[in-house]
């Protein structure tokens, strides 16, 4: 099977099976648009992804290469947050920084499966927490003024467009 | 290495994450985290609402089913219960099962975790009953009316209806029985809405004080939720909708209510709609002109409707034709100009003539088959039937006949015959029931010979009511569209609007065209939950 070279932002190149690389819609489009499909040994630059993350992404994609493609609009599959496979769960036992970098990479590279599973992981970290705990977990600054905050707490009526 | 924070994620990614969080308390808490999160949550909620609305308009909804096995503790199977949505929960009260049991338990479904919780309530419990009305007002739930199986002794009791009023204080977790002034007669199967500080009920099966029998009422009573005093509302004497029970009632605005459908017995099912104008001392009814009648569902009285935006959603079964299952959707259009009536491009949509004769009792003899039942009555009398004997079957209110007559027994037949002489009214009632019972007997026989018990899928019907406030109110049934994944045909469930989803619970699974057939009815009563949501339209952006 032909290989393709992916180059991270910090100059490292990774040689990857073309089929695996094509799980990224961005890369797939690039290859098709630039007619690089059958060329050997072309290098695809990925300036938004550093090598550590790219390595992980390739690892994920390699493991999942035989997954059936998800249906286009997931109509009958529920968006649940509790169906992350154990391999994925282990794979994502990383620090927050890496997790968010993976999200950004999956977003940039347009890898639906990886984006789904990483976002679900974050959603699970958010669920069930009070606002203060959420802030602490993710190091978010509370930029509400005291009065606004109390107003929101009482706010039960939230943006229903009826 | 740069420390990547969640703040580095672009808004659309954050919104995607937030969309995975249940749209109840958890999401509300996210609003309080920071200004940016608040903005994103608002976007997500708006998007979800819009998507649900779009899904409904396009008939492109996603069904999600949660069976009892997935949840523990689990609420008991039931139908004709009542449900209401409040903040992050759906409350369920009462209902009944097949074995002459009515409930008075209150259950709460936590919509974030999708788990049933049984609050251990204190105070004065309401009597066990079904077909009561439960509605939310601020932080209380108001429960009124209802019906219970008559006690077996003394025999031949007439239907047992209630006019007790209970209030459930959600915060204090307490039932309170309220002694009201000028209480209406006992009623069940009525419909209810809250407008301002008034609870307005309409219709139902009513038992006026001296009567032995219940009658179908078209009275309007209103209850002042501060003084707890009832008033019987005066309306202009005509036009008026006929007496009925099991109708759907929705609030259009502060001065208008809409009622839809309902039933006045096994042969009188209504598909009409009326707008009640509440301005002034004397209220007025206006009948709604309905377009798109070809798309009408057969069975609105036992399929409650739910208002979403400017549409009412009614579930009904798919009519199966050779080509493909078809769903019927009601629709009304908001504008006065009658724009966008449904596009009728689908050729295989409805072909009423080609359908198999529909032996549904509810169909008002449309198919002309009801008469046949009577003729064959004598043959069917001796048919041995499986199932429980139900000697009080003739006591049940009409709307339950469909179920009860699933198991007529020979003792049932005899006791019914004894009634025929008593008084005119009773004879009439029992006549009707006899017909129904015989109808169901015939069906049983058919089914036994056919060997097949067809389960039809449920589908949604949507009905736009936007135009219902004009001088000549109109409403249109939306044309059907293919849909799969609905649950099996069910009636007497509850359909409640949550946050960007509709929640359907309970009910009896039955194929409306084989009313009588069941060996073990309890297997057909459901305690599954079905959620109707919008499909995910895209990865990001239109979530």
């Amino acid at each position: 099977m032909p290989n393709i070279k992916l180059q991270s932002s910090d100059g490292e190149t990774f040689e990857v099976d073309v089929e695996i690389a094509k799980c990224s819609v961005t890369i797939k489009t690039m290859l098709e648009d630039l007619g690089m499909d059958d060329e050997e040994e072309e290098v695809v630059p990925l300036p938004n992804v550093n090598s550590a993350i790219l390595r992980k992404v390739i690892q994920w994609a390699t493991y999942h290469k035989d997954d059936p493609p998800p249906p286009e609009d997931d109509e009958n599959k529920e968006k649940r947050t509790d169906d992350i496979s154990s391999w994925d769960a282990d794979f994502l036992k990383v620090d927050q920084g890496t997790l968010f970098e993976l999200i950004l990479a999956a977003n940039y590279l347009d890898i639906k499966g990886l984006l789904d599973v990483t976002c679900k992981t974050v959603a699970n970290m958010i669920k069930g927490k009070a606002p203060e705990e959420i802030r602490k977990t993710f190091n978010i600054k509370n930029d509400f003024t005291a009065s606004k905050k109390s107003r929101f707490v009482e706010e039960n009526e939230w943006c229903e467009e009826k | 290495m740069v420390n990547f924070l969640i703040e580095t994620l672009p808004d659309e990614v954050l919104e995607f994450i937030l969309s995975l969080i249940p749209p109840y308390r958890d999401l509300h808490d996210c609003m309080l985290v920071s200004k940016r999160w608040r903005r994103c949550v608002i976007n997500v909620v708006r998007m979800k609402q819009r998507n649900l609305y779009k899904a409904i308009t396009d008939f492109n909804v996603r069904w999600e089913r949660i069976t009892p096995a997935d949840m523990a503790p689990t609420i008991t199977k039931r139908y004709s219960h009542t449900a209401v949505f409040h903040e992050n929960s759906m409350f369920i009260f009462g209902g009944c099962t097949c074995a002459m049991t009515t409930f008075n338990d209150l259950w709460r479904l936590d919509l974030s975790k999708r788990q049933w919780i049984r609050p251990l309530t204190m105070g004065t419990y309401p009597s066990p009953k079904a077909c009561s009305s439960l509605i939310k007002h601020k932080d209380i739930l108001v429960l009124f009316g209802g019906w219970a199986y008559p006690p077996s002794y003394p025999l031949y009791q007439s239907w047992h209806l209630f006019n007790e009023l209970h209030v459930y204080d959600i915060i204090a977790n307490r039932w309170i029985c309220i002694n009201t002034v000028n209480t209406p007669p006992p009623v069940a199967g009525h419909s209810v809405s809250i407008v301002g500080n008034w609870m307005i009920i309409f219709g139902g099966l009513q038992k006026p004080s001296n009567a032995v029998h219940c009658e179908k009422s078209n009275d309007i009573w209103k209850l002042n939720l501060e003084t707890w005093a009832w008033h019987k509302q005066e309306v202009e004497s005509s036009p008026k909708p006929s007496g009925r029970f099991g109708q759907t009632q929705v609030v259009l605005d502060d001065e208008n209510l809409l009622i839809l459908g309902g039933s006045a017995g096994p042969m009188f099912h209504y598909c009409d709609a009326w707008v009640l104008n509440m301005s002034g001392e004397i209220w007025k009814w206006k009948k709604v002109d309905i377009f798109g009648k070809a798309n009408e569902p057969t069975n609105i009285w036992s399929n409650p409707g739910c208002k979403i935006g400017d549409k009412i959603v009614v579930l009904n079964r798919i009519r199966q034709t050779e080509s493909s299952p078809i769903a019927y959707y009601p629709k009304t259009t908001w504008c006065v100009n009658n724009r966008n009536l449904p596009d009728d491009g689908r050729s295989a949509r409805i072909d009423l003539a080609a359908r198999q004769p529909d032996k549904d009792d509810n169909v008002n003899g449309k198919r002309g088959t009801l008469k046949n039942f009577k003729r064959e009555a004598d043959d069917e009398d001796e048919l041995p039937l499986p199932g429980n004997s139900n000697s009080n079957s003739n006591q049940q209110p009409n709307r339950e006949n469909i179920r009860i007559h699933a198991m007529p027994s020979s003792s049932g037949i005899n006791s019914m015959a004894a009634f025929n002489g008593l008084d005119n009214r009773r004879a009439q009632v029992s006549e009707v029931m006899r017909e129904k019972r015989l109808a169901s007997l015939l069906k049983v026989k058919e089914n036994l010979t056919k060997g097949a018990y067809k389960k039809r899928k449920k589908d949604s019907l949507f009905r736009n009511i936007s135009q219902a406030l004009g001088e000549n109110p109109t409403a249109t049934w939306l044309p059907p569209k293919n849909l799969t994944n609905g649950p099996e045909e069910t009636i007497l469930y509850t359909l409640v609007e949550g946050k960007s989803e509709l929640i359907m619970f309970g009910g009896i699974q039955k194929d409306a065209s084989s009313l009588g057939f069941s060996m073990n009815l309890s297997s057909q009563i459901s305690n599954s939950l079905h959620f109707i949501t919008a499909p995910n339209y895209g990865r990001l952006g239109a979530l």
Side-chain angles (χ1 to χ4, degrees):
Chain A
M1 290 239 54
N3 282 347
I4 190 84
K5 285 211 176 101
L6 303 174
Q7 186 178 55
S8 67
S9 59
D10 43 356
E12 202 174 323
T13 36
F14 297 83
E15 194 157 327
V16 181
D17 189 311
V18 161
E19 289 311 309
I20 294 180
K22 281 193 181 169
C23 79
S24 151
V25 176
T26 309
I27 293 180
K28 178 163 181 273
T29 316
M30 238 190 267
L31 294 179
E32 283 163 10
D33 284 354
L34 301 176
M36 283 161 90
D37 234 350
D38 294 335
E39 313 270 316
E40 347 76 25
E41 308 306 318
E42 285 287 348
V43 178
V44 178
L46 301 172
N48 285 12
V49 188
N50 68 34
S51 55
I53 298 300
L54 187 53
R55 184 172 294 121
K56 287 213 71 131
V57 170
I58 293 173
Q59 183 190 3
W60 186 92
T62 309
Y63 180 82
H64 284 273
K65 71 178 183 327
D66 292 323
D67 282 359
E72 188 38 55
D73 60 354
D74 265 337
E75 192 169 316
N76 299 321
K77 256 177 48 173
E78 332 165 339
K79 273 264 184 294
R80 300 175 66 104
T81 51
D82 57 357
D83 56 357
I84 301 178
S85 75
S86 50
W87 188 90
D88 282 337
D90 276 342
F91 175 77
L92 293 173
K93 281 198 177 113
V94 293
D95 60 278
Q96 266 187 38
T98 311
L99 184 57
F100 295 131
E101 283 192 84
L102 279 170
I103 293 182
L104 290 172
N107 187 27
Y108 168 66
L109 293 171
D110 201 348
I111 306 176
K112 188 176 192 321
L114 180 60
L115 187 66
D116 275 353
V117 79
T118 44
C119 287
K120 279 186 199 177
T121 307
V122 177
N124 285 336
M125 290 161 76
I126 296 174
K127 263 201 291 193
K129 290 199 166 80
E132 184 51 45
E133 292 171 332
I134 298 177
R135 280 190 222 112
K136 224 184 278 181
T137 308
F138 296 107
N139 221 344
I140 301 175
K141 185 165 177 303
N142 178 6
D143 54 357
F144 288 127
T145 63
S147 58
K148 264 195 187 160
K149 188 158 167 238
S150 53
R151 180 162 64 86
F152 293 153
V153 168
E154 275 139 32
E155 195 177 60
N156 232 343
E157 187 79 35
W158 40 319
C159 38
E160 321 268 31
E161 274 183 14
K162 288 261 160 103
Chain B
M1 173 141 128
V2 180
N3 193 13
F4 273 81
L5 305 173
I6 201 168
E7 299 302 282
T8 58
L9 295 179
D11 275 354
E12 68 264 16
V13 177
L14 181 60
E15 282 174 18
F16 179 58
I17 294 174
L18 292 171
S19 74
L20 299 172
I21 296 181
Y24 297 99
R25 166 145 303 129
D26 296 313
L27 198 56
H28 187 232
D29 285 346
C30 290
M31 279 179 94
L32 306 175
V33 171
S34 76
K35 284 184 182 163
R36 177 187 178 217
W37 279 53
R38 180 181 147 78
R39 221 176 37 238
C40 291
V41 167
I42 290 178
N43 281 345
V44 167
V45 170
R46 281 210 194 111
M47 197 76 71
K48 282 191 164 190
Q49 284 281 88
R50 270 207 289 269
N51 281 352
L52 180 67
Y53 188 70
K54 177 176 189 302
I56 284 178
T57 320
D58 296 344
F59 323 126
N60 185 24
V61 296
R62 183 161 66 86
W63 285 92
E64 194 186 322
R65 168 195 221 133
I66 303 194
T67 52
D70 304 329
M71 320 166 72
T74 305
I75 186 173
T76 332
K77 301 176 180 182
R78 62 193 64 210
Y79 62 94
S80 289
H81 49 282
T82 176
V84 80
F85 167 73
H86 174 77
E87 290 186 359
N88 302 306
S89 317
M90 179 173 78
F91 286 91
I92 299 277
F93 173 81
C96 52
T97 65
C98 58
M100 306 180 62
T101 315
T102 42
F103 300 119
N104 66 346
D105 52 352
L106 182 74
W107 286 78
R108 182 166 78 85
L109 176 70
D110 182 322
L111 288 166
S112 303
K113 307 196 193 85
R114 291 193 175 166
Q115 272 175 0
W116 286 107
I117 297 166
R118 186 168 186 175
L120 294 172
T121 54
M122 292 171 287
T124 329
Y125 270 76
S127 322
K129 49 194 178 175
C131 310
S132 36
S133 69
L134 183 68
I135 195 161
K136 145 185 120 117
H137 176 68
K138 299 187 187 155
D139 279 329
I140 58 173
L141 303 180
V142 182
L143 178 79
F144 178 67
W147 163 92
Y149 281 92
S152 327
Y153 185 80
L155 296 177
Y156 308 140
Q157 297 268 334
S158 57
W159 307 331
H160 198 76
L161 303 183
F162 296 93
N163 63 350
E164 45 182 37
L165 182 78
H166 284 85
V167 160
Y168 175 67
D169 185 327
I170 299 179
I171 299 176
N173 191 15
R174 205 184 170 83
W175 280 108
I176 304 162
C177 183
I178 306 257
N179 287 320
T180 52
V181 176
N182 192 23
T183 311
V187 67
H190 49 284
S191 55
V192 69
S193 303
I194 294 220
V195 177
N197 272 334
W198 294 90
M199 180 172 99
I200 298 164
I201 70 167
F202 165 74
L205 271 180
Q206 227 180 47
K207 202 189 296 182
S209 32
N210 303 325
V212 183
H213 285 288
C214 308
E215 30 181 63
K216 276 73 72 174
S217 141
N218 57 358
D219 290 340
I220 302 175
W221 285 79
K222 59 184 191 187
L223 173 72
N224 185 316
L225 293 167
E226 317 253 299
T227 62
W228 301 110
W230 285 98
H231 304 270
K232 181 166 177 177
Q233 177 61 43
E234 269 188 59
V235 288
E236 279 181 9
S237 42
S238 85
K240 253 196 324 189
S242 33
R244 60 188 68 194
F245 53 84
Q247 65 278 0
T248 297
Q249 180 174 323
V250 298
V251 176
L252 293 178
D253 62 24
D254 282 344
E255 288 190 344
N256 289 285
L257 298 180
L258 176 91
I259 65 147
L260 170 66
S263 163
M267 290 199 279
F268 298 98
H269 295 292
Y270 298 110
C271 259
D272 55 355
W274 293 77
V275 172
L276 175 66
N277 187 307
M278 302 183 288
S279 48
E281 286 293 317
I282 303 191
W283 294 359
K284 296 183 272 298
W285 285 104
K286 260 187 228 151
K287 186 162 179 165
V288 178
D289 287 328
I290 300 195
F291 298 109
K293 284 225 165 128
N295 302 330
E296 226 167 49
T298 47
N299 199 350
I300 310 187
W301 74 268
S302 53
N303 289 293
C306 177
K307 176 169 178 276
I308 293 262
D310 66 350
K311 295 184 174 52
I312 297 185
V313 176
V314 172
L315 304 179
N316 225 275
R317 72 178 159 135
I318 303 176
R319 288 156 202 271
Q320 286 179 334
T321 63
E322 300 302 297
S323 42
S324 53
I326 291 170
Y328 289 78
Y329 296 87
K331 162 185 170 177
T332 68
T333 44
W334 260 115
C335 80
V336 183
N337 304 328
N338 246 354
R339 71 169 176 217
N340 57 352
L341 281 180
D343 173 23
D344 277 344
R346 322 168 62 85
S347 51
R349 186 159 45 99
I350 309 162
D351 189 356
L352 294 178
R355 280 166 41 195
Q356 292 192 0
D358 186 347
K359 299 235 170 38
D360 185 357
D361 285 9
N362 294 340
V363 181
N364 281 351
K366 256 189 215 168
R367 312 271 170 263
T369 53
L370 286 178
K371 291 214 170 81
N372 289 338
F373 293 168
K374 257 202 141 144
R375 256 180 269 129
E376 297 179 57
D378 300 320
D379 300 337
E380 305 304 332
D381 277 356
E382 311 316 319
L383 185 72
L385 286 169
N388 323 324
S389 101
N390 191 352
S391 57
N392 270 345
S393 61
N394 51 1
Q395 313 296 348
Q396 313 312 333
N398 276 337
R399 80 187 254 172
E400 308 299 335
N401 281 345
I402 294 173
R403 171 186 50 80
I404 295 297
H405 291 121
M407 349 261 169
S409 62
S410 47
S411 67
I413 296 178
N414 289 340
S415 58
M416 292 251 298
F419 263 105
N420 282 344
L422 275 185
D423 66 352
N424 245 358
R425 253 169 135 187
R426 275 210 186 178
Q428 269 176 20
V429 166
S430 56
E431 248 326 289
V432 165
M433 290 193 256
R434 183 180 157 81
E435 254 184 25
K436 283 207 56 75
R437 197 171 41 77
L438 299 171
S440 57
L441 285 177
L442 177 60
K443 284 179 192 158
V444 172
K445 180 173 179 210
E446 268 176 47
N447 279 331
L448 288 178
T449 51
K450 273 190 214 162
Y453 179 52
K454 282 188 288 203
K455 279 199 177 173
R456 300 254 170 83
K457 288 287 190 196
K458 260 203 130 31
D459 236 326
S460 324
L461 285 76
F462 301 102
R463 185 191 169 136
N464 282 352
I465 48 170
S466 42
Q467 204 166 351
L469 288 185
E471 265 310 301
N472 294 315
T474 62
T476 323
W477 291 104
L478 276 174
K481 180 175 163 164
N482 283 341
L483 195 61
T484 52
N485 300 321
E488 291 79 26
E489 171 153 13
T490 315
I491 61 166
L492 302 176
Y493 49 86
T494 50
L495 184 65
V496 155
E497 186 191 359
K499 291 210 165 110
S500 64
E501 57 186 1
L502 294 176
I503 309 162
M504 174 191 160
F505 169 71
I508 266 205
Q509 286 169 12
K510 55 180 287 306
D511 185 338
S513 70
S514 63
L515 300 171
F517 178 78
S518 178
M519 296 210 38
N520 179 11
L521 195 55
S522 70
S523 65
Q524 293 179 284
I525 301 181
S526 153
N527 58 349
S528 302
L529 280 164
H530 298 271
F531 290 86
I532 302 179
T533 51
N536 297 298
Y537 282 109
R539 177 167 65 96
L540 299 173
L543 286 172

